[in-house]
Each structure stands twice: as C-alpha cells, then as structure tokens.
Amino acid sequence: MADAAYAADEDDESADVWDVVVVGAGPAGASAAYAAAVAGRRVLLLEKAELPRYKTCGGGIIGPSRDSLPPGFELPLQDRVHAVTFSLDGRFARTRRSRKMLFGLINRPEFDAQLVEHAQKAGAELRTGAMVTRVEQHGPAVPDRRTVAVVLSDGETVLARAVVGADGSASRIGAHVGVKLGQVDLGLEAEIPVPPSVAEDWKGRVLIDWGPMPGSYGWVFPKGDTLTVGVISARGEGAATKRYMEDFVARLGLAGFEPSVSSGHLTRCRTDDSPLSRGRVLVCGDAAGLLEPWTREGISYALRSGRLAGEWAVRVAEANDAVDARRQALNYAFAIKAGLGVEMAVGRRMLAVFERRPGLLHATLTGVRPAWNAFADITRGSATLGGMVRSNGMARRALELLDRRMDTTTGVGPAGRGVGQRERSAPEGEVLDEGQGEATNAPDAEAPEKPQAPEAV
C-alpha cells in the first residue's frame, strides 16, 4: 500500500496523472505493472492488441523465469521437459536426460494473459486497443517537469510521473530513449498440430539442432497435440533461414502436417553502451534489447528486467526534480547491468564461439558430462552462465581458451551482426545421461529414439 506521506503529497495533484504508465502488456510490461501496483501506486498498463494474442516464441520457461513470477502464479504448462536431443544440422544426434524437470513449456497467449491478470489484481488498470505513437517530456502537452505525456494514436494524451517502455523489439519507447542495437536475428516458427502417436514420441523431450549458418539453430518444443518448430539466424540471411526451416521440418517428418500458425519475428539485442532510460522514461525487456545473445532466450530477461523497471519507476515517480529522477534511473541501469548485463556479456562470448566452432560446442554438450550438468543447472535456475564463469575456474579457463582471438568486446558476437546502419542507434537433482554418444539420425515422427537404461552422472 502507498505510504501516508506519499499519499499526502499527492492530495493536491491532478487525479488524471498516473504514477506509472507501462506501455506493452507482454511479460516485461505485466511484470513492471505488477511491481509498481503492488507498491500501492496508480498504474496504467497500455496494450495495442486485444488479449490474449499470439506471439512468436518457443515458450520455454527456465528456472530464472519461474523464480521471477508473482507469488501464487501457477504456470499453465503444456509439457515438462526431462530430455534434450542435440543434433548438428541433423547429424550426430544424442539425447541427454534428467530425473528432475529441466524447464517447462507454455503457450504465450495464456501465459501473458495470466501475468496481466496478476497485475490487475495488484491494482493496475489495463487498457487494450491503445497504440502509443510517442512520449513527450517537454512541450505544450507536458504540464510540468515531473510529468511525461504519452500520446496515443487517436490523439489522446495520458500523463504520468514515470513511464516504462515494454512495447517489444520494435519499440517506440526504445526509440525515444535511444536504444542501440548490436545484434538482430530473424526467427521463423510454426505451430504444427500432430496426431497423438507423434505427440507421444515427443512428450517430455525437446530437440535443439545447431544449424548450417553461423549462429543459427532450430528447435522442437512439444505442447500437447502441437509441436512448436522454429529456427533462428542472423537477419540478412532470410532466404537461407527459410530454406533451413523447410529442410528442418522435412527432416523431422513433419512436412505433411499443416501448421495452424506460421510466423516470423526479429529479435534485437542491445549494445553494452545502449541507454536504459531518458528522463522519467525507462525501458525493459525486448524494448531495451535485453535477451540472452547466444540462445536469444528472452522471457526470463523480460520478467526480471520488467520487475526491476516497475520497482525503480516507483522511485522515479516519487522524484521531485530532474536530478533525483536521473539518480533513480541510473540506479535502475546499474541493477540491470550488474545482473543481466553480466549474463549477456558471457552470452556474447558463447555466441562468438558457437558461430566459429558449432561442432566443438555440440561435442562438448553431448560428450562432456560437466558441460551437460552446467546446462541442466542453468535451465533449472540453480546457476547462471555468468555466475558459473565467475566462480568456476575450469569454466572460465575453458571459455577463455575457446574465445581467444575472437573479438567480442563490441556489440554482440561480430560487431553489428544483422544490424542495418539506421538501427545502430535508434533515433530517439540428479542428472542422468542416456546413450553412449553414438551417432544417429535426428529424431522424426516415424522413428523416435528408443530410450536406453539411464546411467547416473
């Protein structure tokens, strides 16, 4: 609840000025709205679409995502993953298994809608069908220096003490802040309904295929009677990425099934020096270019950065002058860089290694048990990639050896990877190992892998 002193200060303020306005009702925006609302502030959550809506996303919920959910949140899991099959462009497939769940799989429409419901229960107000065209911090629409004007496409102006931009990878709020990009990738995805016999072959197991283009990979995520199948690669390789997707689906024996949804999406990753705020406006999630550079995993980054953005937006809203608002915004940036920023830095190095030596990475994950154990720990949330490199001398030395002579000091992976000139700066438990490393064909609908007796690691 709001403290009495803050409420008293606001008694003479216009009721038309929101404490915090959040733009975008995805995982980042809903988390930001929840965090600000649970602190007792007046929060407005704006979303241009009607909910629920489809988003191109694998829907993997790893440990850091689960740990960042609001209290009492029950994940709408479609499947629980206990096994991962790795393959190298369809070859040398090997499956690793675990007694404990590695991660869960969700459908984004239900997941996002449930997050928004929690924000609403905390006190946030939701408006859908509200497209934001711009924000203004100076000019005739702004009554004073403590206020930000959020202008909607229908001409309406909404006033706030602080704004959180969570409006996706093509963010208008990110443009206002001046988010700079170091990596842009193209993801293609299809939701493929399959008969029960095929669905059963994939239950509890995902496939990760290291692809034919540098930095590319494909995935199969089972969700009941539907398989989410997708590939991702650097933007600028559109034709090759499409061929990879077609070949991947055919290789899996799924070409005869009609997708219920086929979609594409650009993921954008920030540079190290990209701003996270401007005045009383903060950005988080995809709008800030926050995602894991190697795997392009974004849900955990959205949830974590959204929560931090909501918490610090409350402090920005309370700031009485520009100096104090700037101080709180810098504290938000420090919190992001000290946590997610460290993980992203390691992810950049991993991407550079993966682009140069995918076969080595595949051999390490499938043939070196400590590497698989590390993968399992990271997906469960008992460790982070950054923390592992900092605390584990062997992991740190191995990564230093692998990325020697690779320039990963600027941008993400190769500097400016997939980024056009205009985008460089925006205008405004116990683990079990199954199998002995034999080369096999990638699993398909007709000939799934047969489990062998598990071997304790």
Side-chain angles (χ1 to χ4, degrees):
M1 296 181 64
D3 54 73
Y6 180 81
D9 289 342
E10 294 298 297
D11 282 344
D12 58 349
E13 301 282 354
S14 169
D16 293 333
V17 180
W18 296 86
D19 294 325
V20 179
V21 168
V22 180
V23 183
S31 295
Y34 174 86
V38 82
R41 303 307 186 247
R42 294 184 65 240
V43 180
L44 177 63
L45 178 58
L46 301 174
E47 168 59 43
K48 66 180 179 181
E50 298 296 330
L51 299 177
R53 78 283 186 266
Y54 180 81
K55 286 287 185 179
T56 304
C57 178
I61 300 297
I62 61 176
S65 298
R66 182 195 62 240
D67 296 341
S68 301
L69 295 169
F73 190 98
E74 294 186 8
L75 278 166
L77 293 181
Q78 302 299 307
D79 205 344
R80 293 169 169 80
V81 177
H82 287 81
V84 181
T85 297
F86 297 99
S87 62
L88 184 62
D89 197 17
R91 300 168 295 142
F92 312 118
R94 184 176 180 182
T95 298
R96 291 279 201 173
R97 298 182 184 270
S98 168
R99 285 198 183 102
K100 294 181 179 179
M101 185 180 82
L102 296 169
F103 57 95
L105 299 174
I106 52 91
N107 288 322
R108 280 288 302 276
E110 294 95 332
F111 179 69
D112 290 11
Q114 197 167 317
L115 284 171
V116 169
E117 288 175 7
H118 272 71
Q120 290 177 288
K121 289 177 182 178
E125 182 174 318
L126 171 69
R127 286 180 57 182
T128 59
M131 179 178 289
V132 173
T133 58
R134 67 186 186 278
V135 293
E136 298 179 2
Q137 300 194 65
H138 307 281
V142 183
D144 57 62
R145 293 186 177 183
R146 289 189 60 205
T147 307
V148 181
V150 181
V151 183
L152 308 184
S153 59
D154 61 3
E156 180 185 356
T157 297
V158 178
L159 301 179
R161 298 299 182 206
V163 171
V164 175
D167 48 336
S169 62
S171 170
R172 294 181 183 273
I173 313 302
H176 172 80
V177 167
V179 173
K180 296 186 289 185
L181 308 173
Q183 174 183 339
V184 180
D185 293 290
L186 170 63
L188 302 178
E189 192 170 76
E191 304 288 346
I192 305 179
V194 294
S197 59
V198 176
E200 184 63 28
D201 292 338
W202 286 97
K203 186 176 181 181
R205 176 172 64 93
V206 302
L207 169 65
I208 297 176
D209 178 73
W210 313 118
M213 297 91 71
S216 67
Y217 76 95
W219 62 88
V220 179
F221 285 180
K223 300 172 185 176
D225 60 358
T226 298
L227 300 179
T228 298
V229 182
V231 302
I232 194 165
S233 186
R235 192 184 68 166
E237 298 285 347
T241 305
K242 183 178 180 181
R243 284 195 302 271
Y244 178 31
M245 179 68 171
E246 293 170 349
D247 293 344
F248 187 48
V249 171
R251 183 195 310 152
L252 295 166
L254 301 174
F257 301 112
E258 185 69 23
S260 59
V261 178
S262 294
S263 61
H265 178 66
L266 291 177
T267 64
R268 296 175 168 91
C269 196
R270 70 189 296 272
T271 60
D272 275 341
D273 61 346
S274 181
L276 290 163
S277 66
R278 179 179 175 184
R280 291 177 175 268
V281 179
L282 312 178
V283 287
C284 60
D286 285 346
L290 292 167
L291 72 158
E292 202 286 301
W294 173 31
T295 64
R296 291 77 148 188
E297 189 276 324
I299 294 179
S300 73
Y301 281 70
L303 292 169
R304 289 182 284 174
S305 66
R307 184 188 72 247
L308 288 171
E311 292 170 352
W312 287 105
V314 168
R315 294 170 172 84
V316 171
E318 294 171 348
N320 289 316
D321 54 49
V323 173
D324 191 19
R326 177 62 175 163
R327 181 183 302 115
Q328 303 306 330
L330 288 175
N331 286 336
Y332 165 67
F334 178 80
I336 291 290
K337 292 176 181 179
L340 298 180
V342 172
E343 294 179 33
M344 291 180 71
V346 178
R348 293 185 183 104
R349 297 168 68 186
M350 290 298 298
L351 175 62
V353 171
F354 174 50
E355 288 183 325
R356 301 281 188 91
R357 303 291 296 277
L360 177 61
L361 188 64
H362 176 71
T364 302
L365 274 173
T366 59
V368 179
R369 290 179 184 176
W372 161 252
N373 291 343
F375 176 91
D377 287 343
I378 291 168
T379 58
R380 291 195 192 102
S382 59
T384 66
L385 190 58
M388 196 166 290
V389 171
R390 284 198 308 269
S391 62
N392 188 305
M394 181 179 295
R396 184 171 60 252
R397 288 191 296 271
L399 185 55
E400 289 171 353
L401 179 64
L402 287 171
D403 68 12
R404 187 175 296 166
R405 299 180 181 178
M406 295 181 184
D407 179 15
T408 58
T409 59
T410 59
V412 178
R417 181 180 184 276
V419 183
Q421 185 63 38
R422 287 182 298 174
E423 292 177 298
R424 294 186 188 277
S425 178
E428 307 250 304
E430 183 182 3
V431 178
L432 303 182
D433 171 24
E434 187 164 282
Q436 302 300 317
E438 67 277 12
T440 65
N441 293 324
D444 57 40
E446 301 302 325
E449 287 190 335
K450 296 181 179 180
Q452 299 176 347
E455 172 192 357
V457 175

